[in-house]
């Protein structure tokens, strides 16, 4: 991956709907060059897809939380299988340090969030959990 690839991904990260012609114009290269680069980035798996990034207005009415889990040794596979069945669990990350898993949760109300947190805490193999409710987004550079 070179500087042109990184520039293409940076522009698409800001606006995934940007046309190939606009990318070529902004980067001052031929449209065919951009098209070839995009095809290579897609076939090599560097670009896995194009997506919609919701703004704050679309996220209103949804509570978000991070949940840190400490789990029993060798329980991770079973816990992850059960977490996949909980629709409010958007992402699960393995971590280093004090906690074993970090979950990203989104729920429509405090009642639903409370139920989900109880459900996660009751999973076999979960030793402890700590929840952090997201209040406002100050920086968002996620691509």
């Amino acid at each position: 991956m070179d500087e042109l690839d990184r520039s293409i991904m940076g522009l698409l990260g800001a606006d995934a709907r940007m046309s190939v012609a606009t990318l070529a114009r902004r980067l001052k290269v031929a449209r065919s060059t951009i098209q070839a680069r995009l095809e290579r980035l897609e076939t090599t798996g560097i670009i896995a897809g194009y997506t919609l990034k919701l703004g704050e207005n679309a996220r209103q009415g949804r509570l978000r939380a991070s949940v840190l889990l400490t789990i029993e040794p060798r329980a991770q596979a079973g816990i992850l299988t059960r977490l996949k069945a909980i629709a409010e669990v958007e992402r699960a990350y393995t971590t280093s340090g004090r906690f074993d898993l970090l979950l990203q949760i989104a729920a429509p109300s405090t009642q639903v969030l409370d139920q989900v947190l109880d459900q996660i805490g009751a999973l076999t193999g979960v030793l402890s959990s700590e929840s952090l409710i997201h209040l406002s987004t100050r920086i968002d550079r996620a691509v």
Side-chain angles (χ1 to χ4, degrees), residues 52-65 90-91 104-109 134-142:
L52 172 71
K53 183 176 176 182
L54 298 177
E56 283 299 317
N57 290 341
R59 289 187 271 181
Q60 286 179 353
R62 285 173 39 125
L63 296 171
R64 298 173 106 27
E90 293 183 329
R91 290 186 176 86
Q104 182 177 315
I105 309 288
S109 68
H134 301 193
L135 299 177
S136 64
T137 303
R138 302 296 183 170
I139 299 172
D140 184 357
R141 293 190 184 124

Side-chain angles (χ1 to χ4, degrees), residues 73-84:
R74 294 178 291 285
Q76 182 173 302
I79 289 171
L80 288 172
T81 298
R82 292 189 296 281
L83 289 172
K84 287 178 186 176

Side-chain angles (χ1 to χ4, degrees), residues 63 109-116:
L63 296 171
S109 68
T110 55
Q111 285 178 314
V112 173
L113 180 59
D114 193 36
Q115 291 168 353
V116 169

Side-chain angles (χ1 to χ4, degrees), residues 77-125:
I79 289 171
L80 288 172
T81 298
R82 292 189 296 281
L83 289 172
K84 287 178 186 176
I86 301 172
E88 291 79 8
V89 177
E90 293 183 329
R91 290 186 176 86
Y93 302 96
T94 55
T95 64
S96 63
R98 226 174 52 169
F99 299 98
D100 301 302
L101 293 173
L102 182 143
L103 310 178
Q104 182 177 315
I105 309 288
S109 68
T110 55
Q111 285 178 314
V112 173
L113 180 59
D114 193 36
Q115 291 168 353
V116 169
L117 294 175
D118 287 345
Q119 187 178 3
I120 290 168
L123 292 175
T124 303

Side-chain angles (χ1 to χ4, degrees), residues 25-43:
R25 193 170 42 257
R26 291 218 181 142
L27 297 173
K28 297 179 174 54
V29 296
R31 185 184 181 287
S32 59
T33 300
I34 297 295
Q35 189 64 50
R37 293 293 185 112
L38 286 172
E39 288 174 12
R40 184 177 48 76
L41 290 168
E42 290 168 2
T43 58

